[in-house]
Amino acid sequence: MDVEEFRKAGYAAIDQICDYYNTLPERNVKAEVEPGYLVKQLPMAWPNASQKKRFQKPRTDMWPTGLLSSWVVDPGDAHGPVGEADASLSLPSLLVFPPRLPFALSLTAPPRHVPVEIAADFQSKIIPGITHWQHGKFFGYFPGIVTFESILGDMYSSSVTNPGFNWTCSPACTELEQVVMDWMAQILGLDSDFLTSSGHGGGTIGNSASECALTATIAARERALRTIARQSNGYSDADSLTPIDVPTAIRQEHTKKLVMYGSTQTHSLGVKAGVILGMPFRSLPVHVEDGYALRGDTLKKAIEEDIAKGLTPFMVIGTVGTTSSGAVDYIAELGEVVKQYPTMFMHVDAAWAGIAFALPEQRERLRLAEVNKYADSFCTNAHKWGLVGFDCSLFFVRDRRDLTEALDVTPAFLRTKEGDAGTVIDYRNWQLSLGRRFRSIKLWFVLRSYGVEGLQKHLRSGVNLCGELAKHIEQTPNFEIVTPPSLGLLSFRLVNDGERASDEELNKLNADLNNRLAHHPEVMLTQTLLKTPESEIFCIRFAIGGRTTTLDDVKHVFSVVEAEGKAALSAWKA
Ligand code: PLP
């Protein structure tokens, strides 16, 4: 494809994307396809040669020669006939991508070429298999929204693709990230320690909260090993030790003793980090009366048990806004415990809820001041509720040496004059991989377009809609709220208002309701299990945060839940 072909295909792609958004409200939120639907439609044979071959010769049998140009199919091609009429194309798309049928002959028909065919296949084959996370009625998992500003930012980012690992790779990549991460730290009200401009802390953009938690775990492990090495070898705190400076004997002896903590409500990223690094993650219990949040005394008890067994506690992951119920761990209590053990590190995972630190009225409930006082590292995803498309995880550390002393491994071929002089940030030393995407650009587009006020308006809308939903559920017979609104998230269950059933029976009833909803194309809700030593409650989560979601969207989806609830109750009583 040359530049002019790209220009045409690019305009056409934007048209298709706009058509998609214009038709989104009329679509069902859920993909209505069976497993294997796409595999069946695509050829097993991959395109060996460019498919451009298929469009080589001017075709004379279909359209008047001279007036229009067209291209023929290479009959040997395994990818099927070109341009079959596609019922899913909207009128504007039809003008841009006229089906290749004689009756659709249009004097404006452009020459057909590979991207047109792929774009048509995107409409007819891929779109049916898309669950529409950008739909106003999407309430599953967590919001995973994007804005047009973010899409544009991503486009520009792709256009200058480069791996950005060292400042010299493209100074703009590094410096824009420094600036927008400092903006974000301040928008979220983080302590000035977390600012890159502080000179000691800083922020970097990762691809996911899971990756950032893994990175934090490595930083925590290395810090613990360095602490142990310093204690045994008499290094001073001022000595900068890299991973290779930790004596092998200490690494071997102590790594196997390390243990990390979180709660049963910590996202699976905790267990996963433990599995990847070969270190146990202890999921500590939470209680209903604490709102499913982890308490300091629970952590303290676990640490003491492990020390008595000869183990070395090195990390706790506290959560602000758990996935199941939006619980906020008692960060100050955890922090006070962490302070008592020199090898301990606290990472705060606020993947979904942390963006709401941008709302001053939410900061106290979300324990921002406690995060500021106690967290060693903190992560929230702009790519969930924060108007920026996947991926954009905002990862902040109080002391950047926790990252660089764990991850700076610099062979000669990566050295640069500026890096050696220490006058620039080389983000490869703050992350797991070498190369990285230019993610700051989409965040820059969004922040400049929306401003903090626009972001706040969007977040408040989600919070308010969730409050309205809660009021509605409270007045709806046979439904109860299990966990009250936490920002835009609540969980509920179906109950029988007459004679009260046991949790076990209600769990079966709600599993049935959930199953019915799973088959409903207009509803995208997800389930959870709230497990404590005292109880086990199966419930359904309603996660609000769409860019265009209205009260009507919320009411409509809940009306389907009510109808399915009636059916489930009748079946249950029968
Ligand atoms: N942490 C919490 C609290 C979450 O709610 C989620 C996603 O639901 C994650 C982590 C995972 O985020 P990511 O996909 O960015 O790893």
Side-chain angles (χ1 to χ4, degrees):
M1 191 184 278
D2 63 22
V3 172
E4 289 312 315
E5 285 172 330
F6 172 68
R7 190 191 303 278
K8 281 190 202 120
Y11 288 152
I14 296 284
D15 277 342
Q16 287 212 340
I17 292 168
C18 294
D19 291 345
Y20 169 73
Y21 275 94
N22 283 337
T23 55
L24 202 44
E26 286 90 57
R27 295 174 193 251
N28 284 329
V29 65
K30 214 178 260 163
E32 293 169 81
V33 294
E34 294 299 323
Y37 95 97
L38 184 58
V39 174
K40 268 188 239 152
Q41 291 184 69
L42 298 183
M44 288 302 287
W46 56 90
N48 217 3
S50 162
Q51 294 183 353
K52 275 184 182 162
K53 245 178 55 188
R54 297 196 300 161
F55 310 105
Q56 275 165 1
K57 287 179 261 157
R59 182 163 181 158
T60 52
D61 60 329
M62 192 179 270
W63 293 338
T65 322
L67 266 182
L68 296 166
S69 59
S70 182
W71 309 84
V72 291
V73 183
D74 172 352
D77 193 291
H79 287 253
V82 179
E84 290 157 308
D86 179 356
S88 72
L89 290 179
S90 64
L91 186 58
S93 302
L94 284 169
L95 291 175
V96 179
F97 302 108
R100 194 184 167 86
L101 293 173
F103 66 80
L105 176 64
S106 150
L107 289 177
T108 61
R112 302 192 64 86
H113 47 82
V114 176
V116 174
E117 297 304 319
I118 304 172
D121 282 351
F122 176 80
Q123 294 295 337
S124 64
K125 297 184 170 63
I126 305 297
I127 288 284
I130 294 294
T131 292
H132 303 291
W133 284 64
Q134 307 313 314
H135 199 298
K137 294 190 178 79
F138 182 97
F139 302 118
Y141 303 103
F142 44 79
I145 59 173
V146 72
T147 49
F148 298 117
E149 291 80 354
S150 171
I151 296 173
L152 285 174
D154 245 347
M155 232 169 73
Y156 286 114
S157 159
S158 295
S159 73
V160 292
T161 292
N162 75 103
F165 50 82
N166 275 342
W167 177 86
T168 46
C169 288
S170 269
C173 295
T174 299
E175 296 196 13
L176 184 62
E177 188 157 327
Q178 284 177 228
V179 171
V180 291
M181 286 303 278
D182 271 9
W183 285 1
M184 279 312 300
Q186 292 167 92
I187 290 168
L188 299 178
L190 294 182
D191 191 89
S192 58
D193 279 349
F194 291 104
L195 296 180
T196 304
S197 51
S198 71
H200 49 266
T204 178
I205 308 180
N207 92 317
S208 66
S210 306
E211 182 198 78
C212 295
L214 178 62
T215 309
T217 310
I218 294 169
R221 179 193 67 191
E222 293 305 315
R223 196 171 85 176
L225 290 175
R226 284 196 305 275
T227 302
I228 296 165
R230 284 196 172 99
Q231 284 164 352
S232 28
N233 284 7
Y235 294 115
S236 86
D237 279 355
D239 292 329
S240 175
L241 299 182
T242 68
I244 14 195
D245 296 326
V246 173
T248 309
I250 289 187
R251 183 172 289 282
Q252 282 175 346
E253 185 193 339
H254 289 275
T255 303
K256 56 180 187 264
K257 294 183 186 164
L258 295 176
V259 53
M260 61 193 288
Y261 308 87
S263 84
T264 53
Q265 303 301 302
T266 306
H267 189 270
S268 49
L269 54 69
V271 174
K272 213 170 197 177
V275 168
I276 292 169
L277 300 174
M279 292 177 308
F281 176 93
R282 274 191 72 180
S283 300
L284 305 176
V286 295
H287 302 280
V288 181
E289 67 268 20
D290 297 326
Y292 300 97
L294 180 60
R295 307 229 41 160
D297 52 3
T298 310
L299 176 64
K300 172 92 183 162
K301 183 165 166 282
I303 287 179
E304 287 301 322
E305 282 166 7
D306 287 335
I307 288 175
K309 287 183 203 154
L311 299 175
T312 309
F314 81 102
M315 185 189 202
V316 61
I317 298 181
T319 306
V320 168
T322 58
T323 315
S324 281
S325 68
V328 181
D329 286 345
Y330 288 76
I331 302 294
E333 289 185 12
L334 302 181
E336 283 299 323
V337 174
V338 165
K339 259 175 43 183
Q340 296 163 30
Y341 303 92
T343 49
M344 281 290 285
F345 180 108
M346 175 150 66
H347 174 66
V348 173
D349 171 36
W352 154 70
I355 196 76
F357 280 158
L359 298 178
E361 69 273 21
Q362 296 292 344
R363 289 178 173 175
E364 195 176 337
R365 197 188 77 78
L366 298 178
R367 305 186 191 278
L368 170 65
E370 300 176 24
V371 171
N372 276 336
K373 185 161 177 204
Y374 294 102
D376 290 298
S377 59
F378 167 80
C379 177
T380 187
N381 285 344
H383 67 239
K384 282 192 159 65
W385 196 12
L387 300 169
V388 182
F390 190 81
D391 52 353
C392 193
S393 277
L394 313 179
F395 181 42
F396 298 94
V397 287
R398 194 180 291 281
D399 186 344
R400 66 181 74 163
R401 286 176 312 173
D402 288 339
L403 297 177
T404 54
E405 291 185 3
L407 298 163
D408 180 351
V409 181
T410 304
F413 56 80
L414 290 177
R415 285 181 61 183
T416 63
K417 179 167 66 79
E418 296 79 7
D420 286 352
T423 50
V424 296
I425 289 176
D426 290 332
Y427 277 124
R428 68 186 162 83
N429 298 326
W430 295 39
Q431 64 175 26
L432 303 184
S433 60
L434 180 74
R436 55 207 317 276
R437 291 182 0 92
F438 191 177
R439 300 183 182 97
S440 55
I441 202 154
K442 57 188 169 184
L443 183 55
W444 190 49
F445 263 67
V446 170
L447 288 176
R448 291 182 60 185
S449 307
Y450 276 76
V452 177
E453 288 169 9
L455 173 65
Q456 289 174 331
K457 189 168 168 226
H458 158 71
L459 296 172
R460 284 191 182 113
S461 157
V463 173
N464 293 340
L465 289 174
C466 193
E468 291 299 316
L469 173 66
K471 280 189 226 153
H472 180 76
I473 296 178
E474 274 159 11
Q475 289 155 14
T476 307
N478 294 318
F479 279 95
E480 75 176 14
I481 291 176
V482 178
T483 56
S486 172
L487 303 169
L489 172 71
L490 61 72
S491 65
F492 64 91
R493 67 176 170 174
L494 181 61
V495 290
N496 56 330
D497 274 349
E499 201 184 322
R500 184 80 186 178
S502 67
D503 279 346
E504 207 181 333
E505 285 173 298
L506 289 179
N507 286 354
K508 282 191 199 137
L509 172 65
N510 280 277
D512 178 37
L513 170 60
N514 186 56
N515 197 30
R516 288 166 190 267
L517 294 173
H519 289 100
H520 208 292
E522 281 186 281
V523 178
M524 185 65 213
L525 294 172
T526 43
Q527 65 188 54
T528 196
L529 188 68
L530 292 166
K531 209 170 167 179
T532 67
E534 304 85 35
S535 61
E536 200 167 308
I537 298 179
F538 180 97
C539 52
I540 298 174
R541 300 164 69 259
F542 207 111
I544 302 175
R547 185 177 57 85
T548 61
T549 298
T550 62
L551 187 55
D552 280 350
D553 291 327
V554 173
K555 279 183 177 165
H556 178 80
V557 170
F558 202 76
S559 71
V560 178
V561 174
E562 283 176 55
E564 294 293 345
K566 264 193 194 136
L569 259 182
S570 315
W572 188 65
K573 285 176 182 162

